Amino acid sequence: MRGGTLRNLLVQSIIAHAPGRVELLGNHTDYNEGLVLSAAIDRGVTVHGGPRTDGRISLTSLALEKRVTVPIQDFDKQKDEDWANYALGVVRTFANHGFQMSGFAMEIVSDLPIGAGLSSSAAIEVATATFLRKIFHWDIEPLRLAKLCRQAENEFVGVNCGLLDQVSSVFGKKNSAIYLDCRQETVETIPFPGEVALLITHSGIKHALVGGEYNERRERCFSAAKKMGARALRDVTSGELEGSRDKLTNLEYRRAAHVVGEIERVSQGIEFLRTGNSRGFGELMYASHESSRTNFENSIPELDMLVHIAHDEDAVFGSRLTGGGFGGATVSLIEASQAQRIAEKMEKEYKKQTGNECRTYLCEIDDGAR
Ligand code: ADP
Ligand code: MG
């Protein structure tokens, strides 16, 4: 795949890197116009290449051992090469917004597992945009870059994701959490008090009927807000929710309780970080998981078990499911010096109790795209 012809066409070589991310608090808050905390990790997508002189775009994925070459002036969404659409979507979206470019060659290298909830898709988009910005000298604010990358995924790829993935990949900061207000679309970074590591533990389980579950959660959130006379659950406090309990069905109440609780936990979490209280922050993560388990019902026994194993360890500040749920992964916030030992213990205990392997990714919290 690393053909000499490709190399000969390149005038210069540029490297860009964009990290993956993990959600720390604020589960299912995005479509409720709420608040969320995430972190960029020290795994991501690295792209390299340079301009081509023949007006063509060539994209190569080392992981998939595939290459797609299209003319920059005239290409459609790729039906058989879905992976290429993330980068092509960035090209199309930025071009539509007046950013000038000519042909280029770009190779994608990644150490993010695909589809594991660490946002490899946004990392490709942000890495591509960062790469093109450098080659073609675009002048663009980081938040606008993140928003255009999201637009690429929404409109070109056709996946209806929120802004968190792209914002995290752009704004990540070493040992810091990223705070996104999904309604205002404002971003802030907040440092952790001590050196922390993140342990992402993938259960290896993918829920089969997630689409229907997602729709049910969304609809119950929207109908609960409506019955309480609110534009979105963002505008409801937990006190108001209790006061309106008899207006809601039991399911509406529990779904709303999770989201309203998550939004309040994000606000409390920020205060805990600012006052140097990692333990307090971690307790909110445990509370978040408990609310997923009982109210939102987007956990599964395997994720509960992973959180339970983490809970036994004093060096773990907190642990919870991360992302959509119904399978997938947990994230644990750990005192950095103990992280390796705890990762090994989690693997062993999970295997012992379920008979299955979990995949663990021990990560540092890292800087955003560069
Ligand atoms: P996530 O973003 O959680 O990892 P998505 O389903 O949103 O999962 O995005 C995964 C898709 O991104 C893959 O199906 C593939 O098309 C693309 N992708 C991820 N990593 C690579 C890679 N190294 N090379 C090519 N395409 C990739
Ligand atoms: Mg994705």
Side-chain angles (χ1 to χ4, degrees), residues 21 86 118-122 125 153 159 161 165:
R21 65 98 189 91
Y86 298 92
L118 299 181
S119 201
S120 63
S121 61
E125 293 147 17
E153 185 153 344
V159 174
C161 58
D165 300 354

Side-chain angles (χ1 to χ4, degrees), residues 40 61 118 177 180 239 294 301 344 352 361-362:
S61 165
L118 299 181
L180 171 66
T294 57
E344 285 160 20
K352 201 165 104 188
Y361 306 96
L362 184 54

Side-chain angles (χ1 to χ4, degrees), residues 232-284:
L233 288 180
R234 159 66 176 271
D235 302 304
V236 178
T237 65
S238 49
E240 286 162 354
L241 178 65
E242 288 311 314
S244 306
R245 197 166 176 162
D246 53 0
K247 289 188 201 152
L248 307 178
T249 66
N250 178 270
L251 268 189
E252 282 170 338
Y253 169 76
R254 283 158 56 212
R255 305 310 188 227
H258 179 62
V259 171
V260 168
E262 282 296 279
I263 294 171
E264 291 182 349
R265 278 186 282 277
V266 168
S267 297
Q268 290 165 8
I270 289 165
E271 282 316 302
F272 281 140
L273 293 184
R274 292 205 166 115
T275 53
N277 187 351
S278 301
R279 294 265 160 219
F281 187 90
E283 286 306 321
L284 295 172

